[in-house]
Amino acid sequence: MDRFLMEDLIKWKSSKRRKPLVLNGARPVGKTWLLKEFGRTQFENIAYVSFDDNPLMAAAFDEGYDIPRLIMSLQAATGERIDPATTLIIFDEVQECPKALTSLKYFCENAPEYHIAAAGSLLGILVHEGTGFPVGKVSTLNLHPLSYREFLHATGNGRLCDLIDSGDTAMIETCALAFTQLLRQYYFVGGMPEAVATFADTGVLADAREVQGQILFGYERDISKHLSAKETEFTLAAWKSVPSHLGQENKRFVFGHIKDGARARDYRLAITWLTQAGMATLVRRISKPGIPLAPYADDTIFKLFTLDVGLLGAMAGLDERSVIAGNSAFTEFKGALTEQYVCQQLVSDCGLAPFYWSAEYSSGEIDFLVQDSGSMYAIEVKAEENLRAKSLRAFRAAHPETKALRFSMSGYREQDWMRNVPLYAISNKALWG
């Protein structure tokens, strides 16, 4: 399975200013597999240690951060001879041993010749007293579920991915039907690696849904494992409410929609936990657009998306016929699924932080605002080929410095004030203008 982040890992290996690497990502987006594949293809051997239920290895770090002693312990635990030039050291589930995470500071300062990469979930949250994240002493990369382009490769459609990358809009249009059918598959299967691999192997959508159910169960178990009983109650309630929030015409997250009488102060920690665990993406409201966007964001008004479009469909109980063929019952939720997809691609494939805009005293709203290379883009999302864009036109007229984009199922086209980009070609930012 091709993961495009492999290119960044190879660049990290060859960097003259290389620091220990921390690979962030939710469970299970494939962090362990990717690091092992990186080690298999780019190094002579791998010294792999998982800190999940590994008290003996944790004890080695309790004794301090003497690098030669730690290397000897790692060699004894893995049975691998560690050569700084040819061995990749992998710390997996590093959040279970905070002192192993802290040790990366000492590898950076005292033994930068070692290639060492750590993977784990909830980094920065589960940091025990007396330890800390080695700020400034590590490089970080974020791994997300497979993007639509990665899904094309995983399902044997790599040439279609290459066509998107080419930017040849005329040729892309000739393959619109294939792109659309595969996009609907992606809406259902999503990008969680096991779900994609299962579907690619069997061709049965229901098999992917079964995997998604197992992942969702694992997430709920993680929540109850790491939080108190009261915190678990609030976090599970917030998590399970995401589909109903996104199914509303106004997708803003409203605490009162979780249950009657719900108060923001009870759920703030829950939202923070879900976003920092990588399970959810917070899209904050911008009241006054400007570059950079972040200072204009309101932390109290936001939309909340899941990490994966397939998981959202599973949480909402969408069946394969509704998503693949489409029916009247699916019409209401189609917009939610499409916005989830766009948010996911903006983050994973485009490397952007999405915001949204809404008018304070009217119903006008822009689905997403992003900034890239000094430009600000106002994005309207259409689930089908409906090309009306009243809010986008009004926003563009009020903020002419903004570039207007519409993502829809319609083909690529340029107008004097905006561009329409097919939903399946979002990743090619050259088409944005």
Side-chain angles (χ1 to χ4, degrees), residues 92-258:
D92 202 4
E93 300 292 350
V94 72
Q95 79 280 350
E96 300 296 340
C97 182
K99 289 187 176 179
L101 180 61
T102 303
S103 76
L104 299 183
K105 171 180 183 291
Y106 299 93
F107 275 98
C108 177
E109 293 177 342
N110 303 327
E113 66 273 16
Y114 286 98
H115 296 80
I116 181 167
S121 304
L122 309 179
L123 295 178
I125 298 178
L126 304 178
V127 178
H128 302 335
E129 184 178 357
T131 65
F133 191 89
V135 177
K137 304 298 181 180
V138 295
S139 299
T140 60
L141 289 173
N142 297 314
L143 185 64
H144 303 282
L146 274 75
S147 67
Y148 176 62
R149 290 166 63 241
E150 289 177 311
F151 176 80
L152 291 177
H153 274 277
T155 53
N157 295 284
R159 289 185 178 181
L160 289 176
C161 179
D162 295 339
L163 184 53
I164 292 174
D165 294 344
S166 76
D168 187 333
T169 56
M171 287 298 297
I172 290 173
E173 181 67 19
T174 64
C175 297
L177 180 60
F179 280 123
T180 300
Q181 291 174 339
L182 287 162
L183 181 58
R184 286 174 178 162
Q185 289 181 8
Y186 181 74
Y187 280 2
F188 190 90
V189 176
M192 300 305 287
E194 186 180 357
V196 175
T198 298
F199 173 68
D201 182 48
T202 69
V204 178
L205 291 166
D207 291 346
R209 185 63 96 218
E210 182 177 343
V211 172
Q212 291 162 348
Q214 296 167 358
I215 293 171
L216 291 172
F217 176 77
Y219 281 165
E220 294 185 13
R221 186 175 56 189
D222 282 347
I223 291 171
S224 61
K225 174 183 177 182
H226 295 300
L227 299 177
S228 69
K230 197 66 175 177
E231 291 167 342
T232 295
E233 176 187 347
F234 290 140
T235 304
L236 283 175
W239 171 244
K240 292 180 178 180
S241 76
V242 171
S244 62
H245 276 96
L246 294 180
Q248 303 291 324
E249 183 176 355
N250 180 353
K251 295 174 175 56
R252 171 184 167 186
F253 194 91
V254 179
F255 292 100
H257 290 173
I258 300 175

